[in-house]
Amino acid sequence: MASDETNRSPEIRKDAIHNRWVIFSPARARRPSDFKSKTDPNDSKDRTECPFCAGHEHECAPEIFRVPPESTSDWRIRVIQNLYPALSRRLDFTDGENDGCSAALPGFGFHDVVIESPAHRVHLEDHSPARIADVLLAYIQRIEQIREFDSIKYVQVFKNHGASAGASMSHPHSQIMALPVVPPTVSARLNSMKEFFLQTGKCSLCQVKRDDLVIDESSHFIAVAPFAATFPFEIWVVPRDHSSHFHELDHEKALDLAGLLKVILIKMSSQLKDPPYNLMIHTAPLQLDSSELPFTHWFIQIVPQLTLTGGFELGTGCYINPVFPEDAAKVLRDVSVPNQR
Ligand code: AMP
Ligand code: ZN
Ligand code: ZN
């Protein structure tokens, strides 16, 4: 495929993980420099007013746990309840009637906030790999607690960074939402991965590695621009070894992943000028049948928010991406980051 965008024709690629079509449109292509984000007016709250800062713990909803567990003012991470939860953690909420075909369920679930640092003006990637690993392990510790509830079917870990990525707080944080249903995007992903497996006998994410799409690698993970990236400069971080659930990650792999995440976030931030972004951990539903294990493979999706979704995308479910992923991969691969691992 020609690397000069002027020689390229539009191409429609199928994302075999999400079963959706993406239009790569050279006519709409712009140079990566055009994607550098404008300064995000995210920091509307002065740090002295921020409830997530050290010293303001009393302004937050109740704490679930902190890291280290016995720490006082010297905590590194706090997992707290969301002050404005989308779902209710009250167990009596599960008592509603559900005949399996009702269109409404009680809104039982968990909506927690992970405060990633006591300091306000730091980014996740400013921390050492060991501290980033602590954040990943805090997610896992909370998922293990949530797993005790049979009525919880799916746990979504996500991070909004920057106002145009949906963040209302500029203090470094992420969120964990535990749902009593398997969300439609997850079911669609499972169906699509199952179809690929039935056709090829292989897990689609075990096949993700393609040299021109690789951005960086670690011992246990590969960071790629996905072949049919929905968004410009979208990045997936995929475990090399087949694994269905994020919460199965052990300490050694968490540290390895943290080192790679740090590098990837630094690369993205330097090439795209600290863009607003969303980071999602895509894992398998909690109650997975053993027959589904061979084709479910967890991964992290990072989406810098550089374009707007318009009527075409809402109407068709197809996306137009002006940047071919092999070009995005090259731009990100070429940033040199001192060894972080
Ligand atoms: P985001 O809007 O993505 O930045 O996530 C921040 C989350 O923190 C939101 O879901 C808020 O509901 C939640 N939140 C805001 N203030 C507090 C607080 N004082 N204690 C606990 N959660 C809070
Ligand atoms: Zn703060
Ligand atoms: Zn796999």
Side-chain angles (χ1 to χ4, degrees), residues 9 11 27 49 69 89 93 99-100 103 164 172 176 218 225 234 244-245 250 258 262 265 279 285 300-301 318 325 329:
S9 311
E11 192 173 316
E49 294 171 27
R89 63 185 67 229
F93 249 65
D99 57 12
S164 38
I176 301 176
S218 64
E234 176 179 348
S244 298
H245 286 110
D250 64 23
K262 179 175 169 83
L265 292 174
L279 182 154
I300 295 178
Q301 179 188 25
C318 294

PDB file of all heavy atoms in Angstrom, residues 9 11 27 49 69 89 93 99-100 103 164 172 176 218 225 234 244-245 250 258 262 265 279 285 300-301 318 325 329:
ATOM      1  N   SER A   9      -6.489   5.406  -2.409  1.00  0.00           N
ATOM      2  CA  SER A   9      -7.933   5.450  -2.601  1.00  0.00           C
ATOM      3  C   SER A   9      -8.573   5.203  -1.252  1.00  0.00           C
ATOM      4  O   SER A   9      -7.950   4.623  -0.364  1.00  0.00           O
ATOM      5  CB  SER A   9      -8.366   4.326  -3.532  1.00  0.00           C
ATOM      6  OG  SER A   9      -7.551   4.324  -4.661  1.00  0.00           O
ATOM      7  N   GLU A  11     -10.516   3.314   1.541  1.00  0.00           N
ATOM      8  CA  GLU A  11     -10.542   1.877   1.815  1.00  0.00           C
ATOM      9  C   GLU A  11     -11.524   1.646   2.954  1.00  0.00           C
ATOM     10  O   GLU A  11     -11.557   2.417   3.905  1.00  0.00           O
ATOM     11  CB  GLU A  11      -9.134   1.444   2.219  1.00  0.00           C
ATOM     12  CG  GLU A  11      -8.941  -0.051   2.259  1.00  0.00           C
ATOM     13  CD  GLU A  11      -7.468  -0.417   2.498  1.00  0.00           C
ATOM     14  OE1 GLU A  11      -6.572   0.204   1.872  1.00  0.00           O
ATOM     15  OE2 GLU A  11      -7.237  -1.300   3.324  1.00  0.00           O
ATOM     16  N   ALA A  27      -9.065  11.575   1.243  1.00  0.00           N
ATOM     17  CA  ALA A  27      -9.478  12.945   0.903  1.00  0.00           C
ATOM     18  C   ALA A  27      -9.658  13.770   2.171  1.00  0.00           C
ATOM     19  O   ALA A  27      -9.549  14.989   2.142  1.00  0.00           O
ATOM     20  CB  ALA A  27     -10.783  12.912   0.116  1.00  0.00           C
ATOM     21  N   GLU A  49      -9.838  23.730  45.543  1.00  0.00           N
ATOM     22  CA  GLU A  49     -11.257  23.347  45.646  1.00  0.00           C
ATOM     23  C   GLU A  49     -11.480  21.886  45.291  1.00  0.00           C
ATOM     24  O   GLU A  49     -12.607  21.421  45.244  1.00  0.00           O
ATOM     25  CB  GLU A  49     -12.096  24.158  44.649  1.00  0.00           C
ATOM     26  CG  GLU A  49     -12.168  25.626  44.905  1.00  0.00           C
ATOM     27  CD  GLU A  49     -12.840  26.319  43.717  1.00  0.00           C
ATOM     28  OE1 GLU A  49     -13.651  25.684  43.016  1.00  0.00           O
ATOM     29  OE2 GLU A  49     -12.538  27.494  43.493  1.00  0.00           O
ATOM     30  N   PRO A  69      -2.811   0.125  52.503  1.00  0.00           N
ATOM     31  CA  PRO A  69      -4.026   0.017  53.309  1.00  0.00           C
ATOM     32  C   PRO A  69      -3.954   0.760  54.639  1.00  0.00           C
ATOM     33  O   PRO A  69      -4.933   1.337  55.079  1.00  0.00           O
ATOM     34  CB  PRO A  69      -4.171  -1.492  53.557  1.00  0.00           C
ATOM     35  CG  PRO A  69      -3.189  -2.172  52.675  1.00  0.00           C
ATOM     36  CD  PRO A  69      -2.218  -1.161  52.150  1.00  0.00           C
ATOM     37  N   ARG A  89     -25.876   1.138  44.909  1.00  0.00           N
ATOM     38  CA  ARG A  89     -25.212  -0.025  45.513  1.00  0.00           C
ATOM     39  C   ARG A  89     -26.079  -0.671  46.587  1.00  0.00           C
ATOM     40  O   ARG A  89     -25.644  -1.601  47.252  1.00  0.00           O
ATOM     41  CB  ARG A  89     -23.841   0.358  46.066  1.00  0.00           C
ATOM     42  CG  ARG A  89     -23.829   1.362  47.176  1.00  0.00           C
ATOM     43  CD  ARG A  89     -22.404   1.750  47.536  1.00  0.00           C
ATOM     44  NE  ARG A  89     -21.777   2.474  46.462  1.00  0.00           N
ATOM     45  CZ  ARG A  89     -20.565   2.188  45.962  1.00  0.00           C
ATOM     46  NH1 ARG A  89     -19.852   1.223  46.469  1.00  0.00           N
ATOM     47  NH2 ARG A  89     -20.080   2.908  44.976  1.00  0.00           N
ATOM     48  N   PHE A  93     -32.050  -3.224  46.073  1.00  0.00           N
ATOM     49  CA  PHE A  93     -32.402  -2.866  44.707  1.00  0.00           C
ATOM     50  C   PHE A  93     -32.477  -4.092  43.807  1.00  0.00           C
ATOM     51  O   PHE A  93     -33.021  -4.039  42.721  1.00  0.00           O
ATOM     52  CB  PHE A  93     -31.359  -1.902  44.148  1.00  0.00           C
ATOM     53  CG  PHE A  93     -31.890  -0.528  43.941  1.00  0.00           C
ATOM     54  CD1 PHE A  93     -32.292   0.237  45.017  1.00  0.00           C
ATOM     55  CD2 PHE A  93     -32.000  -0.005  42.668  1.00  0.00           C
ATOM     56  CE1 PHE A  93     -32.784   1.508  44.830  1.00  0.00           C
ATOM     57  CE2 PHE A  93     -32.501   1.265  42.460  1.00  0.00           C
ATOM     58  CZ  PHE A  93     -32.892   2.024  43.545  1.00  0.00           C
ATOM     59  N   ASP A  99     -38.572 -11.140  34.916  1.00  0.00           N
ATOM     60  CA  ASP A  99     -39.025 -12.385  34.303  1.00  0.00           C
ATOM     61  C   ASP A  99     -38.185 -12.736  33.072  1.00  0.00           C
ATOM     62  O   ASP A  99     -38.519 -13.633  32.321  1.00  0.00           O
ATOM     63  CB  ASP A  99     -40.512 -12.272  33.912  1.00  0.00           C
ATOM     64  CG  ASP A  99     -40.752 -11.100  32.975  1.00  0.00           C
ATOM     65  OD1 ASP A  99     -39.759 -10.542  32.469  1.00  0.00           O
ATOM     66  OD2 ASP A  99     -41.923 -10.749  32.756  1.00  0.00           O
ATOM     67  N   GLY A 100     -37.089 -12.061  32.896  1.00  0.00           N
ATOM     68  CA  GLY A 100     -36.188 -12.400  31.793  1.00  0.00           C
ATOM     69  C   GLY A 100     -36.527 -11.687  30.508  1.00  0.00           C
ATOM     70  O   GLY A 100     -35.698 -11.613  29.614  1.00  0.00           O
ATOM     71  N   ALA A 103     -38.311  -5.122  30.019  1.00  0.00           N
ATOM     72  CA  ALA A 103     -37.406  -4.139  29.425  1.00  0.00           C
ATOM     73  C   ALA A 103     -36.779  -3.269  30.496  1.00  0.00           C
ATOM     74  O   ALA A 103     -36.011  -2.387  30.187  1.00  0.00           O
ATOM     75  CB  ALA A 103     -38.167  -3.294  28.425  1.00  0.00           C
ATOM     76  N   SER A 164     -13.009  17.507  26.958  1.00  0.00           N
ATOM     77  CA  SER A 164     -13.706  17.027  25.762  1.00  0.00           C
ATOM     78  C   SER A 164     -13.706  15.510  25.661  1.00  0.00           C
ATOM     79  O   SER A 164     -14.306  14.951  24.735  1.00  0.00           O
ATOM     80  CB  SER A 164     -13.191  17.691  24.490  1.00  0.00           C
ATOM     81  OG  SER A 164     -11.824  17.877  24.548  1.00  0.00           O
ATOM     82  N   PRO A 172      -6.046  13.495  38.540  1.00  0.00           N
ATOM     83  CA  PRO A 172      -5.927  12.171  37.896  1.00  0.00           C
ATOM     84  C   PRO A 172      -6.797  11.109  38.569  1.00  0.00           C
ATOM     85  O   PRO A 172      -6.649  10.837  39.762  1.00  0.00           O
ATOM     86  CB  PRO A 172      -4.439  11.826  38.029  1.00  0.00           C
ATOM     87  CG  PRO A 172      -3.904  12.752  39.064  1.00  0.00           C
ATOM     88  CD  PRO A 172      -4.758  13.983  39.060  1.00  0.00           C
ATOM     89  N   ILE A 176     -14.782   2.918  37.897  1.00  0.00           N
ATOM     90  CA  ILE A 176     -15.143   1.503  37.747  1.00  0.00           C
ATOM     91  C   ILE A 176     -16.656   1.434  37.845  1.00  0.00           C
ATOM     92  O   ILE A 176     -17.233   1.864  38.848  1.00  0.00           O
ATOM     93  CB  ILE A 176     -14.504   0.646  38.872  1.00  0.00           C
ATOM     94  CG1 ILE A 176     -12.979   0.786  38.845  1.00  0.00           C
ATOM     95  CG2 ILE A 176     -14.924  -0.814  38.734  1.00  0.00           C
ATOM     96  CD1 ILE A 176     -12.275   0.046  39.984  1.00  0.00           C
ATOM     97  N   SER A 218       6.275  -4.906  25.017  1.00  0.00           N
ATOM     98  CA  SER A 218       6.971  -5.259  26.255  1.00  0.00           C
ATOM     99  C   SER A 218       7.007  -6.781  26.316  1.00  0.00           C
ATOM    100  O   SER A 218       6.580  -7.452  25.370  1.00  0.00           O
ATOM    101  CB  SER A 218       6.231  -4.660  27.458  1.00  0.00           C
ATOM    102  OG  SER A 218       4.946  -5.244  27.556  1.00  0.00           O
ATOM    103  N   ALA A 225      -1.673   0.101  16.604  1.00  0.00           N
ATOM    104  CA  ALA A 225      -2.770   0.858  16.011  1.00  0.00           C
ATOM    105  C   ALA A 225      -3.631  -0.218  15.346  1.00  0.00           C
ATOM    106  O   ALA A 225      -3.135  -0.942  14.479  1.00  0.00           O
ATOM    107  CB  ALA A 225      -2.228   1.845  14.989  1.00  0.00           C
ATOM    108  N   GLU A 234      -6.045   5.914  17.474  1.00  0.00           N
ATOM    109  CA  GLU A 234      -6.529   4.943  18.476  1.00  0.00           C
ATOM    110  C   GLU A 234      -5.433   3.895  18.711  1.00  0.00           C
ATOM    111  O   GLU A 234      -4.725   3.493  17.784  1.00  0.00           O
ATOM    112  CB  GLU A 234      -7.788   4.273  17.909  1.00  0.00           C
ATOM    113  CG  GLU A 234      -8.347   3.188  18.789  1.00  0.00           C
ATOM    114  CD  GLU A 234      -9.622   2.576  18.187  1.00  0.00           C
ATOM    115  OE1 GLU A 234     -10.184   3.143  17.223  1.00  0.00           O
ATOM    116  OE2 GLU A 234     -10.029   1.522  18.701  1.00  0.00           O
ATOM    117  N   SER A 244      -8.751 -14.126  29.046  1.00  0.00           N
ATOM    118  CA  SER A 244     -10.102 -13.576  28.875  1.00  0.00           C
ATOM    119  C   SER A 244     -10.385 -12.378  29.780  1.00  0.00           C
ATOM    120  O   SER A 244     -11.074 -11.447  29.387  1.00  0.00           O
ATOM    121  CB  SER A 244     -11.157 -14.655  29.165  1.00  0.00           C
ATOM    122  OG  SER A 244     -11.016 -15.707  28.240  1.00  0.00           O
ATOM    123  N   HIS A 245      -9.868 -12.452  31.014  1.00  0.00           N
ATOM    124  CA  HIS A 245     -10.255 -11.445  32.011  1.00  0.00           C
ATOM    125  C   HIS A 245      -9.072 -10.590  32.468  1.00  0.00           C
ATOM    126  O   HIS A 245      -8.047 -11.130  32.894  1.00  0.00           O
ATOM    127  CB  HIS A 245     -10.864 -12.124  33.245  1.00  0.00           C
ATOM    128  CG  HIS A 245     -12.238 -12.649  33.002  1.00  0.00           C
ATOM    129  ND1 HIS A 245     -12.518 -13.997  32.939  1.00  0.00           N
ATOM    130  CD2 HIS A 245     -13.418 -12.001  32.808  1.00  0.00           C
ATOM    131  CE1 HIS A 245     -13.820 -14.155  32.715  1.00  0.00           C
ATOM    132  NE2 HIS A 245     -14.385 -12.961  32.628  1.00  0.00           N
ATOM    133  N   ASP A 250      -1.389 -10.853  36.861  1.00  0.00           N
ATOM    134  CA  ASP A 250      -0.621 -10.981  38.105  1.00  0.00           C
ATOM    135  C   ASP A 250       0.317  -9.772  38.278  1.00  0.00           C
ATOM    136  O   ASP A 250       0.409  -8.909  37.400  1.00  0.00           O
ATOM    137  CB  ASP A 250       0.143 -12.318  38.156  1.00  0.00           C
ATOM    138  CG  ASP A 250       1.200 -12.423  37.057  1.00  0.00           C
ATOM    139  OD1 ASP A 250       1.642 -11.375  36.550  1.00  0.00           O
ATOM    140  OD2 ASP A 250       1.564 -13.555  36.685  1.00  0.00           O
ATOM    141  N   ALA A 258       2.356  -1.704  33.048  1.00  0.00           N
ATOM    142  CA  ALA A 258       2.479  -0.315  33.502  1.00  0.00           C
ATOM    143  C   ALA A 258       3.614   0.388  32.765  1.00  0.00           C
ATOM    144  O   ALA A 258       3.468   1.545  32.341  1.00  0.00           O
ATOM    145  CB  ALA A 258       2.718  -0.283  35.011  1.00  0.00           C
ATOM    146  N   LYS A 262       2.973   3.563  30.278  1.00  0.00           N
ATOM    147  CA  LYS A 262       3.673   4.834  30.502  1.00  0.00           C
ATOM    148  C   LYS A 262       4.287   5.327  29.184  1.00  0.00           C
ATOM    149  O   LYS A 262       4.095   6.483  28.803  1.00  0.00           O
ATOM    150  CB  LYS A 262       4.752   4.635  31.581  1.00  0.00           C
ATOM    151  CG  LYS A 262       5.564   5.870  31.887  1.00  0.00           C
ATOM    152  CD  LYS A 262       6.517   5.620  33.051  1.00  0.00           C
ATOM    153  CE  LYS A 262       7.526   6.749  33.191  1.00  0.00           C
ATOM    154  NZ  LYS A 262       7.027   7.898  33.939  1.00  0.00           N
ATOM    155  N   LEU A 265       1.522   6.407  26.666  1.00  0.00           N
ATOM    156  CA  LEU A 265       0.872   7.675  27.019  1.00  0.00           C
ATOM    157  C   LEU A 265       1.821   8.858  26.798  1.00  0.00           C
ATOM    158  O   LEU A 265       1.399   9.934  26.371  1.00  0.00           O
ATOM    159  CB  LEU A 265       0.352   7.637  28.462  1.00  0.00           C
ATOM    160  CG  LEU A 265      -0.823   6.668  28.701  1.00  0.00           C
ATOM    161  CD1 LEU A 265      -1.176   6.588  30.186  1.00  0.00           C
ATOM    162  CD2 LEU A 265      -2.067   7.084  27.895  1.00  0.00           C
ATOM    163  N   LEU A 279      -9.642   5.995  28.058  1.00  0.00           N
ATOM    164  CA  LEU A 279      -8.964   4.702  28.153  1.00  0.00           C
ATOM    165  C   LEU A 279      -9.989   3.713  28.703  1.00  0.00           C
ATOM    166  O   LEU A 279     -10.629   3.990  29.722  1.00  0.00           O
ATOM    167  CB  LEU A 279      -7.748   4.824  29.070  1.00  0.00           C
ATOM    168  CG  LEU A 279      -6.863   3.599  29.280  1.00  0.00           C
ATOM    169  CD1 LEU A 279      -5.438   4.026  29.652  1.00  0.00           C
ATOM    170  CD2 LEU A 279      -7.403   2.661  30.339  1.00  0.00           C
ATOM    171  N   PRO A 285     -17.288 -10.752  30.153  1.00  0.00           N
ATOM    172  CA  PRO A 285     -18.282 -10.728  31.232  1.00  0.00           C
ATOM    173  C   PRO A 285     -17.820 -11.620  32.392  1.00  0.00           C
ATOM    174  O   PRO A 285     -17.079 -12.584  32.179  1.00  0.00           O
ATOM    175  CB  PRO A 285     -19.539 -11.301  30.565  1.00  0.00           C
ATOM    176  CG  PRO A 285     -19.355 -11.033  29.114  1.00  0.00           C
ATOM    177  CD  PRO A 285     -17.883 -11.137  28.860  1.00  0.00           C
ATOM    178  N   ILE A 300      -6.768  -3.233  26.264  1.00  0.00           N
ATOM    179  CA  ILE A 300      -7.006  -1.828  26.633  1.00  0.00           C
ATOM    180  C   ILE A 300      -7.116  -1.016  25.346  1.00  0.00           C
ATOM    181  O   ILE A 300      -6.301  -1.177  24.433  1.00  0.00           O
ATOM    182  CB  ILE A 300      -5.854  -1.280  27.494  1.00  0.00           C
ATOM    183  CG1 ILE A 300      -5.805  -2.031  28.833  1.00  0.00           C
ATOM    184  CG2 ILE A 300      -5.995   0.225  27.724  1.00  0.00           C
ATOM    185  CD1 ILE A 300      -4.669  -1.609  29.757  1.00  0.00           C
ATOM    186  N   GLN A 301      -8.129  -0.171  25.279  1.00  0.00           N
ATOM    187  CA  GLN A 301      -8.312   0.721  24.125  1.00  0.00           C
ATOM    188  C   GLN A 301      -8.083   2.159  24.609  1.00  0.00           C
ATOM    189  O   GLN A 301      -8.666   2.573  25.622  1.00  0.00           O
ATOM    190  CB  GLN A 301      -9.745   0.569  23.594  1.00  0.00           C
ATOM    191  CG  GLN A 301     -10.066   1.459  22.414  1.00  0.00           C
ATOM    192  CD  GLN A 301     -11.556   1.423  22.041  1.00  0.00           C
ATOM    193  OE1 GLN A 301     -12.400   1.125  22.887  1.00  0.00           O
ATOM    194  NE2 GLN A 301     -11.860   1.737  20.803  1.00  0.00           N
ATOM    195  N   CYS A 318     -21.129   3.337  11.097  1.00  0.00           N
ATOM    196  CA  CYS A 318     -19.820   3.278  10.429  1.00  0.00           C
ATOM    197  C   CYS A 318     -19.080   4.568  10.756  1.00  0.00           C
ATOM    198  O   CYS A 318     -19.698   5.616  10.893  1.00  0.00           O
ATOM    199  CB  CYS A 318     -19.965   3.212   8.908  1.00  0.00           C
ATOM    200  SG  CYS A 318     -20.723   1.725   8.311  1.00  0.00           S
ATOM    201  N   PRO A 325      -4.173   3.524  10.049  1.00  0.00           N
ATOM    202  CA  PRO A 325      -3.491   3.127  11.284  1.00  0.00           C
ATOM    203  C   PRO A 325      -1.999   2.881  11.111  1.00  0.00           C
ATOM    204  O   PRO A 325      -1.221   3.104  12.037  1.00  0.00           O
ATOM    205  CB  PRO A 325      -4.214   1.846  11.714  1.00  0.00           C
ATOM    206  CG  PRO A 325      -5.066   1.449  10.576  1.00  0.00           C
ATOM    207  CD  PRO A 325      -5.272   2.635   9.716  1.00  0.00           C
ATOM    208  N   ALA A 329       0.616   4.498  13.534  1.00  0.00           N
ATOM    209  CA  ALA A 329       1.592   3.651  14.245  1.00  0.00           C
ATOM    210  C   ALA A 329       3.001   4.198  14.034  1.00  0.00           C
ATOM    211  O   ALA A 329       3.790   4.285  14.976  1.00  0.00           O
ATOM    212  CB  ALA A 329       1.498   2.208  13.760  1.00  0.00           C
TER     213      ALA A 329
END
